[in-house]
Amino acid sequence: MMPGAGTRLYGVIGFPLGHTLSPALHNAAFAATGHDGVYVALPVAPARLADAMAGVRALRIAGLSVTVPHKVAVVDLLDGLTPEARAAGAVNAVYREGERLLGHNTDIAGYQAMLAEAGQEARRALVLGAGGAARAVCLALRRAGIPFTVAARDTAKAADLARALGAGGDGSVRAAIAWEDLGTLLPAIDLLINTTPIGMHPAVAASPAPDLAALPAGAIVHDIVYRPRETLLLAAARARGLRTVEGGTMLVAQAAEAFERWTGFPAPVAEMRAAFEQATGDDQSC
Ligand code: NAP
């Protein structure tokens, strides 16, 4: 559909934004549903965030994705938050209610889609990393009733996240451990989740858990990194015969939830998934 006078404008703000796949996913969704919208990448330097949000209001942008480094800073520039955004302490999708701009977090639903693919039956998880995405992952684990331990190179951050989100479950396993000790916990878990950027393009020859030998045979490995689709961590897990879930599942699911909030229509998930696969398959660097 050609943009016209009634076309609604959507976009993603972040900095830098070189590798964002969001325009491919959302424009595919608009095309599949006939929604008269255009989605563009809008790089916004940190010092210009307030100006950019004033522009979002003035231009009546209909929906906005928010990525690194603005997910927390944008909170103070909005008129309200959903319970998900409040619980996550971060916003990755802004939507409009009349003149009000509201912040939501779709990473929680995004990770729930990974759990649904494989992992819902897990009895103990180990979360690698304690950043923004880890918080959404831990919230989803808590909602699923899966006790978890957080391992991060900043042990204080791991402990803060674990305490804030009630990790540890029955208390038989520590809620947070130092990064260098994560190997000691592998025999006791059945779900390993990478939420760090380790293994992400272009530094693809790295894994956050180089030796998976100690994981039990039925363990499941999740990597929320989606570029490349098969990270070194997932390749090692598959080589061991373990079940794996790729970060693309989370990317597509979080985008689908944003689409639904913006438009009120069910998201065309299959078309969004196909757009993701085409964008990553076309990219020789993946
Ligand atoms: P973030 O807030 O910067 O958090 C990154 C975490 O990883 C921090 O705990 C950081 O530790 C840790 N970390 C980074 N490099 C490390 C290293 N070399 N060794 C050990 N720990 C390291 O980033 P984020 O927003 O959570 O995103 C993390 C990753 O998830 C990115 O690759 C992002 O693309 C991906 N992601 C994917 C989806 C999806 O839909 N699939 C959604 C969101 C994010 P420090 O705090 O010590 O720096």
Side-chain angles (χ1 to χ4, degrees), residues 68 71 107 129-133 153-154 157 179 195-198 200 224-226 247 250-251 254:
V68 179
K71 286 183 179 185
D107 279 339
R153 63 182 174 184
D154 182 337
K157 263 195 193 173
W179 186 252
T195 77
T196 77
I198 301 171
M200 186 170 76
I224 74 164
V225 169
Y226 51 85
M250 176 168 172
L251 186 78
Q254 62 79 28

Side-chain angles (χ1 to χ4, degrees), residues 126-130 151-153 177-184 186 189 192-201 203-213 215 221-225 227-228 230-237:
L126 173 59
V127 178
L128 306 180
R153 63 182 174 184
I177 57 166
W179 186 252
E180 49 279 11
D181 293 338
L182 71 88
T184 62
L186 294 185
I189 62 154
L192 177 67
I193 308 141
N194 176 41
T195 77
T196 77
I198 301 171
M200 186 170 76
H201 171 78
V204 297
S207 168
D211 187 3
L212 299 181
L215 274 177
V221 178
H222 290 178
D223 197 340
I224 74 164
V225 169
R227 256 183 139 142
E230 182 178 80
T231 58
L232 197 60
L233 175 69
L234 293 184

Side-chain angles (χ1 to χ4, degrees), residues 83-117:
E84 267 78 7
R86 207 166 294 118
V91 163
N92 74 338
V94 173
Y95 65 103
R96 193 173 269 288
E97 238 176 43
E99 292 304 314
R100 300 176 74 221
L101 287 183
L102 302 174
H104 185 45
N105 189 300
T106 67
D107 279 339
I108 304 167
Y111 183 65
Q112 282 168 336
M114 289 182 77
L115 272 180
E117 207 170 299

